[in-house]
């Protein structure tokens, strides 16, 4: 009995670019309602090298896993990103996956806090995949503001922020965009999942 179906794409986001890597997104369709998939947590640990002992919810009901208890304003920033995403999605007539409780967000330790221009940019390092040899390749890895981890539950990783919490809202909105498209417009999802050939965020205006 196959409990889950693995799809061979891993989506990487920064605020500048974002794309699919030749890795894997979980599609665990047999997850019990309300429980957290241990394999999902294991995958997040594998990618980030972090543990996520803290489980909490945003005021609007998204699940957040973190290394330490997130500040209230961080949780509100997550909600703000989802609120904006859902609003845009509804304007496009989308109906699926527009509930906060559909989303699981891992907040990982940032592997850098400044980008190459010296701007505050907490990002995580992830394998370069098809970005290898390209502009963003840092030597086998790239820095990403966020990364889609799974379709079901709809899960992604962002980095811890000390400030500029509006950036959290943006990353949440952008990562969530791929997941909303996956469930509401599969053709557009396919067309926009891989940014290594161009294209970025927002996809939906
Ligand atoms: Zn993207």
């Amino acid at each position: 009995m196959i409990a889950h179906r693995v799809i061979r794409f891993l989506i990487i986001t920064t605020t500048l670019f974002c794309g699919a890597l030749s890795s894997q997104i979980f599609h665990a369709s047999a997850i019990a309602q309300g429980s957290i998939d241990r394999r999902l947590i294991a995958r997040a640990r594998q990618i980030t090298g972090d543990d996520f002992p803290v489980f909490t919810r945003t005021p609007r009901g998204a699940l957040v896993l973190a290394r330490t208890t997130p500040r209230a304003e961080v949780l509100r920033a997550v909600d703000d990103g989802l609120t904006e995403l859902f609003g845009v999605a509804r304007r496009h007539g989308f109906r699926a996956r527009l509930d906060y409780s559909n989303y699981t967000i891992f907040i990982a330790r940032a592997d850098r806090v400044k980008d190459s221009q010296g701007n505050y940019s907490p990002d995580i390092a992830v394998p370069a995949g098809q970005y290898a040899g390209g502009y963003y390749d840092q030597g086998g890895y790239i820095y990403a503001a966020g990364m889609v981890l799974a379709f079901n539950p709809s899960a992604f990783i962002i980095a811890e922020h000390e400030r500029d919490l509006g950036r959290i809202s943006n990353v949440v909105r952008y990562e969530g965009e791929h997941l909303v498209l996956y469930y509401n417009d599969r053709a557009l999802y396919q067309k926009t999942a891989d940014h290594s050939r161009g294209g970025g965020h927002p996809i939906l205006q």
Side-chain angles (χ1 to χ4, degrees):
M1 187 70 172
I2 296 170
H4 68 282
R5 187 162 60 91
V6 175
I7 297 179
R8 304 190 73 76
F9 288 101
L10 181 67
I11 302 164
I12 305 300
T13 302
T14 74
T15 45
L16 297 176
F17 83 103
C18 170
L21 292 187
S22 54
S23 189
Q24 297 168 342
I25 287 180
F26 266 36
H27 194 272
S29 54
I31 298 171
Q33 286 283 340
S35 73
I36 301 166
D37 187 344
R38 289 176 190 281
R39 291 165 308 170
L40 182 67
I41 298 173
R43 180 77 176 132
R45 288 181 60 176
Q46 182 191 355
I47 290 168
T48 63
D50 294 336
D51 289 319
F52 299 95
V54 175
F55 294 20
T56 187
R57 290 208 178 258
T58 66
R60 293 176 183 261
L63 181 62
V64 170
L65 284 78
R67 300 192 310 147
T68 57
T69 304
R71 289 173 290 152
E73 54 265 42
V74 166
L75 297 178
R76 283 198 298 272
V78 170
D79 272 348
D80 288 348
L82 290 173
T83 299
E84 189 187 333
L85 172 67
F86 297 162
V88 172
R90 286 196 186 90
R91 286 206 297 279
H92 285 263
F94 297 161
R95 294 287 177 271
R97 294 278 160 152
L98 303 187
D99 195 282
Y100 298 86
S101 64
N102 298 143
Y103 290 82
T104 299
I105 296 104
F106 290 85
I107 303 179
R109 183 177 49 83
D111 293 308
R112 73 169 179 187
V113 293
K114 284 182 179 175
D115 65 17
S116 54
Q117 278 81 50
N119 301 309
Y120 186 64
S121 181
D123 295 321
I124 53 175
V126 296
Q130 77 256 38
Y131 291 102
Y135 176 75
Y136 294 105
D137 189 355
Q138 306 284 318
Y141 63 95
I142 60 169
Y143 287 112
M147 178 171 60
V148 171
L149 193 60
F151 293 119
N152 190 20
S154 294
F156 53 86
I157 305 169
I158 65 172
E160 292 167 355
H161 284 59
E162 295 296 321
R163 53 191 167 89
D164 192 11
L165 301 187
R167 187 172 184 272
I168 288 182
S169 302
N170 282 336
V171 177
V172 166
R173 186 250 201 258
Y174 294 161
E175 295 299 332
E177 197 163 49
H178 288 294
L179 293 162
V180 161
L181 286 173
Y182 180 84
Y183 283 101
N184 290 278
D185 187 338
R186 194 64 60 89
L188 187 55
Y189 166 79
Q190 298 284 3
K191 210 167 81 176
T192 54
D194 179 358
H195 302 291
S196 73
R197 281 171 265 149
H201 290 277
I203 298 166
L204 298 169
Q205 301 283 347

